Amino acid sequence: MIETLEGFLRDYGYIVLFVGTFLEGETMVLIAGYLAKAGVLDLNWVILSSFAGTYLGDQTAFFIGRRWGHLLIKRTSSESWKRRTERVMYLLDRYNTWFIMGFRFIYGVRNVTPFALGASPIAAIRFMLLNCLAAFIWATSFGYGGYIFGHAMEGFLADIKHYQFYFFGGVGVVLIGIWARKRFFKREAAPAVMEERAENSVP
């Protein structure tokens, strides 16, 4: 997956980065920062593209929530979606501004939060301003994170290439072992079943 994202970023650059961050994209920003360290991309454009993507993505989700949020939440049959929406409302009520500023860094509510905030009473202009500041902090921190730790990421990518053979090989051995075990117990159980049936058939 990481190699695929790296390939897309090398081939299509900032357009792919914008689309990826519009949807989510922490991993993509880190890889883009790493590529900036390697001289493939420009760090300033990495941060700008990431900022534009995440800001516009969350603003879009917010306005969808503002327009259709209550109706969609009421009609959804997904319990997971309802639980995450309830958690967003709880965190908003308890932490308010800090939650709006930091939801991008919280796993599990990242995608649903701007939509749920759109369905909340928060003023649109307030969310727009806080979202702008938070998007800049997010894009800068992840962009510089990939840039500063570019050497470590390079080693990490190399490790994936080096150990993927052993990983898939180990998975294959486990699957073969499970298959052999089932075959063994099936053969062991067959005579016992036939013997039991024979005994039951004797008057």
Side-chain angles (χ1 to χ4, degrees):
M1 182 63 180
I2 292 178
E3 289 179 326
T4 301
L5 292 176
E6 182 184 354
F8 275 121
L9 284 167
R10 286 181 180 273
D11 293 338
Y12 304 104
Y14 309 109
I15 295 175
V16 170
L17 183 58
F18 173 82
V19 173
T21 51
F22 187 92
L23 301 174
E24 187 171 356
E26 287 90 350
T27 303
M28 188 168 287
V29 182
L30 288 171
I31 296 174
Y34 155 73
L35 292 176
K37 179 72 172 181
V40 178
L41 300 174
D42 180 81
L43 182 60
N44 292 326
W45 281 102
V46 166
I47 293 173
L48 180 60
S49 301
S50 302
F51 164 77
T54 189
Y55 176 73
L56 293 176
D58 287 337
Q59 284 298 138
T60 301
F62 178 86
F63 285 115
I64 291 174
R66 182 56 48 102
R67 178 65 180 84
W68 296 288
H70 290 290
L71 180 63
L72 293 176
I73 292 172
K74 183 178 180 180
R75 291 187 176 182
T76 183
S77 59
S78 173
E79 291 299 323
S80 174
W81 183 269
K82 288 181 179 179
R83 285 196 301 270
R84 284 190 290 174
T85 301
E86 290 173 357
R87 187 183 177 198
V88 167
M89 295 304 184
Y90 168 78
L91 292 172
L92 177 65
D93 181 65
R94 183 163 185 175
Y95 301 107
N96 205 280
T97 300
W98 290 110
F99 174 65
I100 298 171
M101 291 287 295
F103 72 83
R104 283 179 175 82
F105 300 89
I106 304 175
Y107 178 79
V109 298
R110 167 69 179 87
N111 291 327
V112 72
T113 295
F115 174 83
L117 291 177
S120 74
I122 183 174
I125 186 65
R126 182 165 179 261
F127 175 79
M128 185 182 298
L129 295 174
L130 291 174
N131 185 40
C132 182
L133 179 59
F136 177 76
I137 294 172
W138 180 87
T140 303
S141 60
F142 278 97
Y144 270 102
Y147 186 86
I148 294 171
F149 300 104
H151 181 72
M153 286 198 65
E154 185 177 7
F156 176 67
L157 294 173
D159 286 342
I160 289 178
K161 296 177 183 178
H162 180 71
Y163 291 112
Q164 64 183 357
F165 170 78
Y166 300 101
F167 172 76
F168 288 112
V171 171
V173 170
V174 171
L175 292 176
I176 292 172
I178 294 173
W179 174 81
R181 186 171 180 271
K182 288 183 177 179
R183 293 277 297 182
F184 174 77
F185 279 107
K186 186 176 181 180
R187 289 181 178 179
E188 288 290 321
V193 171
M194 293 180 65
E195 183 177 339
E196 183 179 352
R197 288 179 178 175
E199 291 177 356
N200 292 335
S201 65
V202 176

